[in-house]
Amino acid sequence: MTIPLVLTATALVVLSPLAIDAIDDGGQWSRRSEIGQTYGAAAALLSVLALAAIAFSLVLQAREVKLAREQASRATHNELITMALNDPDYRECWGVFSTERDERSIRQQLYTNLVVSYWQTRFELGTFSETHLRHGAATVFSARPGRVFWRDAREARIRTSQTRKARRFHSILDEEYQKSLATMPTLEAAPVHRRTARLAGLLRGIADRLEGAGMRNG
């Protein structure tokens, strides 16, 4: 965009004497200087527009460079997460990042993190609309792994959001998370209930065996 503006401004400056000749029928250079004084404001305006275009182009380039660096950083982060996903030894190096303890749940949390990071990259690039984000988040939070992930990660992600788009992204996720809790509040504790039921059944079985043994001894 900058080059066409500069070329246009240069062409206008080069062709300006011809325009002045058309205005001044005699075509005398002595008159050109007088008429050129009235043309100075237009020339100054063109210079300002050209400088503004250059400045705007530099801002866009700086923004693109920053975005490229962020994408490269996220790609590296995703590779590290993938390594931790596939190898428990590498996973230990990340410390405690979830309240979950069993292998299956931890792998689900790591995988969900990759999904959310992918969404964030697309959202900040403008290729993932708010409508698509809300639909995807509602789907992920309809299951326990997604809700557990956001329950443990939301505070850190929201606190470290540095850009307006990142803050908006995490705000939308949190809104959909709160909606999921309002519609399915008991699903979060379902595994605990199942463990409690199994424990109760086991205790009942032990009690029955002890009671039977006591009756035989009696």
Side-chain angles (χ1 to χ4, degrees), residues 83-95 103:
M83 293 173 66
L85 181 65
N86 297 325
D87 193 328
D89 292 338
Y90 293 147
R91 191 182 310 153
E92 290 183 10
C93 300
W94 287 83
E103 176 69 15

Side-chain angles (χ1 to χ4, degrees), residues 2-208:
T2 304
I3 295 177
L5 285 175
V6 173
L7 291 177
T8 301
T10 303
L12 290 173
V13 172
V14 171
L15 297 176
S16 59
L18 299 178
I20 294 174
D21 283 343
I23 296 172
D24 182 38
D25 296 333
Q28 299 296 322
W29 281 101
S30 61
R31 292 285 295 164
R32 288 177 182 173
S33 61
E34 298 175 1
I35 298 175
Q37 292 178 1
T38 62
Y39 184 69
L45 179 61
L46 289 174
S47 299
V48 170
L49 290 175
L51 289 174
I54 294 173
F56 182 70
S57 177
L58 292 175
V59 169
L60 288 180
Q61 290 177 9
R63 183 178 178 182
E64 290 175 357
V65 170
K66 180 181 178 181
L67 188 58
R69 289 177 178 174
E70 290 178 355
Q71 289 178 337
S73 176
R74 288 178 184 174
T76 302
H77 177 262
N78 289 344
E79 291 177 3
L80 294 173
I81 291 291
T82 302
M83 293 173 66
L85 181 65
N86 297 325
D87 193 328
D89 292 338
Y90 293 147
R91 191 182 310 153
E92 290 183 10
C93 300
W94 287 83
V96 179
F97 58 88
S98 174
T99 57
E100 301 297 290
R101 291 294 178 266
D102 63 285
E103 176 69 15
R104 179 172 179 269
S105 296
I106 292 176
R107 289 171 64 85
Q108 287 174 338
Q109 301 312 299
L110 289 169
Y111 182 77
T112 305
N113 182 75
L114 291 176
V115 172
V116 172
S117 297
Y118 170 67
W119 285 352
Q120 184 176 354
T121 299
R122 290 192 58 194
F123 184 80
E124 294 183 357
L125 287 173
T127 59
F128 202 52
S129 68
E130 289 194 11
T131 301
H132 287 106
L133 176 58
R134 288 188 182 278
H135 177 74
T139 302
V140 167
F141 293 147
S142 66
R144 183 176 184 274
R147 291 204 300 279
V148 171
F149 165 77
W150 190 245
R151 181 195 66 193
D152 294 341
R154 65 184 296 274
E155 182 178 352
R157 278 183 167 267
I158 292 174
R159 186 177 65 249
T160 56
S161 299
Q162 297 181 348
T163 64
R164 181 182 60 82
K165 277 205 166 185
R167 289 189 291 271
R168 181 57 182 162
F169 173 82
H170 291 120
S171 175
I172 292 173
L173 283 186
D174 201 48
E175 289 173 9
E176 296 303 320
Y177 171 72
Q178 298 300 333
K179 290 179 183 178
S180 72
L181 293 183
T183 56
M184 291 170 287
T186 59
L187 186 59
E188 198 75 37
V192 177
H193 292 165
R194 288 195 293 270
R195 288 195 296 268
T196 302
R198 288 195 295 269
L199 179 59
L202 178 62
L203 292 176
R204 281 197 302 271
I206 294 174
D208 291 341

